[in-house]
Amino acid sequence: MKKREVVRLALEGKQVPYTPWSFSFTQEPLAQLKEYYSTDDIDQAVDNHLLFLGSPCGYFKDLGDEHYKDVFGVIWDRTKDKDIGVVSNCILPAATIDGLVLPDAQNPIFFNDLQQKIEAHQDMFRVYPLGFSLFERAWSLRGMENLLMDFVLNPDFADDLLTLIADFNISLIEQALKYDIDAVYFGDDWGQQSGLIMGYPIWKRFIYPHLVRMYGKVRDAGKYVFIHSCGDVDELFDELIVAGLNCFNPFQPEV
């Protein structure tokens, strides 16, 4: 049985011949593993079942001095955090989306080497990832404190910004669905060590309606919805399932 089929059985809650797995790594252990196994193909080395497609590294332009600019214009300082970094500019200093232009969802950079990776790993379960998919993308453009205040002081702007981002994501999903993928993986950190960053009422008011739209686009195409959130978000599980969730990646066992 192909790995792809084993994962599908697990997602459907059916009997599996074994428990499927998938490991991913931050930069330091990834480099160590590549050296240890003498290969850049860590998926094959650790026998992963999930094949993550697209080219996340291609989303960033190296500005030098460990600073990188993503396709939204956000500059990330990776002098300490080598994997993601800290935002060092503010694209939206004022509460308005006037003049904000998001990237072209048909830009090949979002699908770089996708078909080649599928062909090279035909037995694996194919996942198209959308990192920083909504709340995270909004705060990276506006600033965390600004956005949290906008939810209260500038709700119309917050609605406009999140709608624009969700519309962009849906356009990306429509392009990704032209390939033979199995799932879309949404990354969006909502939690802290205890509960939600923004609190449940704000999450339900501003975030949830867009999740329903985005997840619905994936499920309507007969594909699976994977999501990731750091932090303690247990209180959201019932509604996430209603929205279309199939698989949740918690990342933090301590919460």
Side-chain angles (χ1 to χ4, degrees):
M1 183 178 291
K2 289 184 177 181
K3 297 176 182 177
R4 193 180 186 191
E5 295 304 319
V6 176
V7 174
R8 284 174 174 169
L9 288 174
L11 291 170
E12 297 292 339
K14 298 178 180 178
Q15 184 69 39
V16 292
Y18 59 88
T19 301
W21 65 86
S22 187
F23 300 107
S24 59
F25 306 95
T26 54
Q27 293 300 317
E28 184 177 1
L30 180 61
Q32 293 172 338
L33 285 167
K34 287 180 177 180
E35 180 179 2
Y36 179 82
Y37 285 110
S38 300
T39 181
D40 287 334
D41 191 348
I42 296 302
D43 281 329
Q44 184 176 19
V46 301
D47 206 21
N48 275 340
H49 285 59
L50 304 184
L51 177 66
F52 286 89
L53 303 164
S55 298
C57 292
Y59 299 172
F60 297 92
K61 178 181 179 181
D62 188 347
L63 302 178
D65 195 28
E66 298 189 79
H67 284 67
Y68 298 82
K69 180 186 286 186
D70 68 25
V71 292
F72 290 80
V74 178
I75 297 175
W76 298 87
D77 177 354
R78 294 183 180 169
T79 53
K80 292 185 174 64
D81 178 356
K82 306 300 182 182
D83 292 275
I84 299 174
V86 178
V87 174
S88 62
N89 65 337
C90 183
I91 301 296
L92 296 174
T96 176
I97 62 170
D98 291 347
L100 177 63
V101 179
L102 299 190
D104 179 3
Q106 298 188 40
N107 188 327
I109 196 172
F110 294 113
F111 310 96
N112 189 33
D113 296 335
L114 191 149
Q115 188 58 42
Q116 293 93 318
K117 288 186 72 172
I118 289 176
E119 292 173 359
H121 301 274
Q122 294 188 23
D123 66 325
M124 295 178 68
F125 186 91
R126 299 101 183 247
V127 181
Y128 185 77
L130 284 176
F132 277 68
S133 61
L134 189 62
F135 172 67
E136 287 183 318
R137 178 52 60 195
W139 74 247
S140 72
L141 295 169
R142 176 71 171 125
M144 176 68 83
E145 291 180 3
N146 289 338
L147 181 65
L148 292 176
M149 292 172 67
D150 288 331
F151 287 142
V152 177
L153 301 177
N154 304 301
D156 290 343
F157 160 73
D159 281 330
D160 290 344
L161 179 59
L162 292 169
T163 297
L164 192 66
I165 294 167
D167 287 346
F168 167 78
N169 289 337
I170 289 171
S171 296
L172 271 183
I173 292 166
E174 289 172 345
Q175 294 298 314
L177 290 172
K178 295 179 180 179
Y179 297 87
D180 187 14
I181 64 172
D182 297 304
V184 175
Y185 180 107
F186 297 86
D188 209 23
D189 290 348
W190 306 312
Q192 49 194 354
Q193 295 304 101
S194 177
L196 302 179
I197 295 170
M198 71 295 291
Y200 175 78
I202 287 176
W203 181 90
K204 184 64 180 293
R205 158 70 175 82
F206 290 96
I207 305 295
Y208 186 70
H210 298 295
L211 304 186
V212 171
R213 290 202 298 136
M214 294 189 297
Y215 298 177
K217 174 65 68 171
V218 178
R219 293 297 297 269
D220 288 347
K223 311 299 182 180
Y224 297 95
V225 171
F226 285 47
I227 72 168
H228 158 77
S229 176
C230 284
D232 177 6
V233 299
D234 290 9
E235 63 192 290
L236 305 180
F237 283 158
D238 288 347
E239 285 171 292
L240 291 172
I241 292 168
V242 171
L245 173 65
N246 296 107
C247 183
F248 179 79
N249 170 254
F251 194 75
Q252 290 178 269
E254 73 273 16
V255 302

